[in-house]
Amino acid sequence: MANSLDIEEADRVLSVSTLASRTSSVLERLRDSARSARADERREPTFTIGKAAELVGRTPAAIREAEKDGRLPEPARTDNNRRERYTLAQLNDMRGVFGTRPYRSSDDPCCVLAVQNFKGGVGKSTIAVHLAQYLAIKGYRVAIVDCDSQASATTLFGYVPDLDLGEDETLYPFLREGERSSLDYALRKTHFDGLELIPANLRLFNSEYELAARMARGSESLLNRLKDGIDSIADRFDVIVMDPPPALGAISLSVLRAANALIVPVPPTVMDFSSTAAFLSMLDETIEQLAERGLAPELQFLRFVASKVDENKSMQKELLHLMRTLFGHGMIRTPLKDSAEIDNATARLMTVYELDGPATSSAVRNRCLGYLDGVNSEIELDVRSMWPSHQAALRKAALA
């Protein structure tokens, strides 16, 4: 009887192993069949001269003049002598020539922004990656830190995490106390100029238990470990976006301790609203407990994003109105509506910002970009409001 049970147990283990292998293989094929799928083969987003001028803060005529007088290189031409589109790297060169880089002053704090909710499926990684890419397109120096062993953010940058990455290329070595002194080792360039990634993979899950076990033995200072790591690279960036696990564990607490700004995605459904209410209660209790130990996060702003919105559903309309009433100015005005453009881009292991053209239709893509840009521009304003060196420009813009 015992042997029979052992065989059944072995079959179950083998079945799980086989399924894991099969799903990894399928994901690998999906990635390889997607356009520019591998991270090292991806191309930067490109821009027309009109869009480049808008992003750089100068006119197309000013760009052409700078090219004529040698301040900027002559643009590449197609076979029929048409001007090729500009890359993000070229836009950042223009910003350097025209003096329009939006960097923070060295005296301003780096914005360390966590996109956090303790429930999965709320669009957390989608928001984190699109926000990081939006800020890079705007010319900021950005890092995105994937703190979630599910590695959704890492996957959107073209990696199959457990095939392409070892545990030593993630946060894991740093979170093992005393093994590393800086997070520099884990930063890697992406196909967005000015945007770097600290990736994750499934092995990062091990650190959750290891951190919790050490904290249980009285090592509360470990909650500062991730903050120390973020501080070790903060001088290189204007904004660091963190994508934590959708659960209240040791890593999520470490992310909360390291952050000075918090974005909470909330789909307007009863289940998600209920979960967010529980998240806020746990967050309040957690901050109080951290404060008692002198470890409370110093949040400069807390904002809520209505994500995955379908306003054709009457219940969602009602909940959206309720959320706006409850959260007031803490609520981002632009809802991030459910869009087939995001779904189609994600299916290619890409984002809307890096697609050359619409994955659906031009109308759907333009609407989707309107939602994404609306959400991200409001967050950008909150980020800039943290920086004393940007206050005069913000006041001037408000009066214009």
Side-chain angles (χ1 to χ4, degrees):
M1 184 69 173
N3 287 341
S4 175
L5 288 175
D6 289 344
I7 291 170
E8 288 178 8
E9 182 65 26
D11 285 344
R12 277 199 294 273
V13 172
L14 178 62
S15 176
V16 171
S17 174
T18 301
L19 287 171
S21 175
R22 287 175 180 173
T23 53
S24 292
S25 177
V26 169
L27 187 57
E28 170 77 355
R29 289 201 300 273
L30 280 173
R31 197 252 331 247
D32 286 344
S33 66
R35 181 179 50 189
S36 304
R38 288 191 178 274
D40 58 0
E41 293 173 353
R42 289 189 161 191
R43 291 177 288 110
E44 291 182 278
T46 58
F47 310 89
T48 64
I49 189 169
K51 186 62 177 178
E54 176 190 329
L55 288 167
V56 169
R58 290 293 184 269
T59 64
I63 293 174
R64 290 191 178 96
E65 186 64 31
E67 290 168 348
K68 285 180 183 177
D69 65 24
R71 286 177 292 153
L72 289 171
E74 286 286 336
R77 299 280 178 174
T78 63
D79 291 340
N80 59 2
N81 203 36
R82 296 187 64 178
R83 178 187 295 264
E84 287 192 351
R85 292 161 66 99
Y86 294 96
T87 66
L88 180 53
Q90 288 172 318
L91 261 62
N92 284 329
D93 288 341
M94 290 180 196
R95 288 175 172 125
V97 168
F98 294 127
T100 59
R101 295 186 190 275
Y103 297 172
R104 65 183 175 91
S105 161
S106 59
D107 295 328
D108 296 331
C110 176
C111 177
V112 183
L113 189 154
V115 182
Q116 195 159 22
N117 198 321
F118 293 162
K119 182 180 183 299
V122 298
K124 178 176 60 66
S125 296
T126 297
I127 290 172
V129 174
H130 280 90
L131 173 62
Q133 292 181 349
Y134 169 90
L135 292 171
I137 289 169
K138 287 286 190 169
Y140 298 94
R141 299 163 298 175
V142 187
I144 180 165
V145 184
D146 195 345
C147 309
D148 185 358
S149 60
Q150 295 181 66
S152 297
T154 300
T155 301
L156 285 175
F157 280 95
Y159 297 99
V160 173
D162 297 294
L163 295 175
D164 294 338
L165 302 162
E167 67 180 45
D168 288 343
E169 298 172 275
T170 72
L171 286 174
Y172 190 32
F174 188 85
L175 294 177
R176 288 195 293 247
E177 193 173 15
E179 190 163 319
R180 304 271 185 166
S181 60
S182 169
L183 281 175
D184 276 331
Y185 74 92
L187 283 166
R188 55 178 59 209
K189 305 287 186 182
T190 71
H191 53 296
F192 276 68
D193 190 61
L195 173 57
E196 298 185 46
L197 166 72
I198 294 182
N201 64 12
L202 193 59
R203 297 301 297 275
L204 187 58
F205 193 65
N206 295 342
S207 64
E208 187 74 63
Y209 292 105
E210 293 173 15
L211 280 172
R214 295 206 299 272
M215 288 176 189
R217 293 195 295 268
S219 299
E220 289 182 356
S221 62
L222 284 170
L223 275 178
N224 268 335
R225 183 67 180 152
L226 181 56
K227 184 179 188 305
D228 292 342
I230 296 297
D231 288 346
S232 73
I233 59 172
D235 62 336
R236 294 172 50 182
F237 300 102
D238 301 302
V239 183
I240 297 174
V241 178
M242 292 191 291
D243 184 20
L248 181 57
I251 291 180
S252 290
L253 286 173
S254 298
V255 168
L256 186 61
R257 170 63 183 146
N260 56 25
L262 189 61
I263 301 295
V264 182
V266 191
T269 70
V270 173
M271 290 289 287
D272 289 302
F273 181 79
S274 174
S275 174
T276 300
F279 165 74
L280 290 173
S281 295
M282 287 189 289
L283 185 63
D284 182 48
E285 184 178 335
T286 300
I287 288 175
E288 283 187 10
Q289 291 174 354
L290 290 173
E292 290 172 3
R293 295 165 173 79
L295 297 171
E298 299 173 0
L299 297 179
Q300 299 297 306
F301 63 86
L302 166 62
R303 299 276 263 159
F304 298 86
V305 179
S307 59
K308 307 183 100 171
V309 174
D310 183 353
E311 288 187 327
N312 291 321
K313 297 179 179 178
S314 58
M315 180 56 73
Q316 288 209 12
K317 278 187 178 180
E318 292 176 23
L319 278 169
L320 198 54
H321 176 72
L322 175 63
M323 286 159 55
R324 285 169 174 155
T325 302
L326 282 174
F327 300 140
H329 293 300
M331 187 85 183
I332 298 245
R333 293 188 300 275
T334 306
L336 185 53
K337 296 186 181 181
D338 214 3
S339 175
E341 189 72 10
I342 291 177
D343 294 339
N344 279 279
T346 302
R348 302 181 190 186
L349 308 182
M350 301 174 84
T351 69
V352 177
Y353 284 135
E354 63 187 295
L355 292 175
D356 285 338
T360 49
S361 69
S362 294
V364 171
R365 174 181 171 78
N366 290 338
R367 282 197 300 272
C368 182
L369 284 172
Y371 309 145
L372 287 167
D373 289 350
V375 168
N376 291 330
S377 64
E378 289 190 53
I379 298 172
E380 179 192 6
L381 187 60
D382 287 326
V383 170
R384 293 182 64 203
S385 296
M386 292 177 56
W387 299 334
S389 68
H390 280 235
Q391 296 304 310
L394 290 173
R395 284 193 297 270
K396 183 178 178 180
L399 293 171

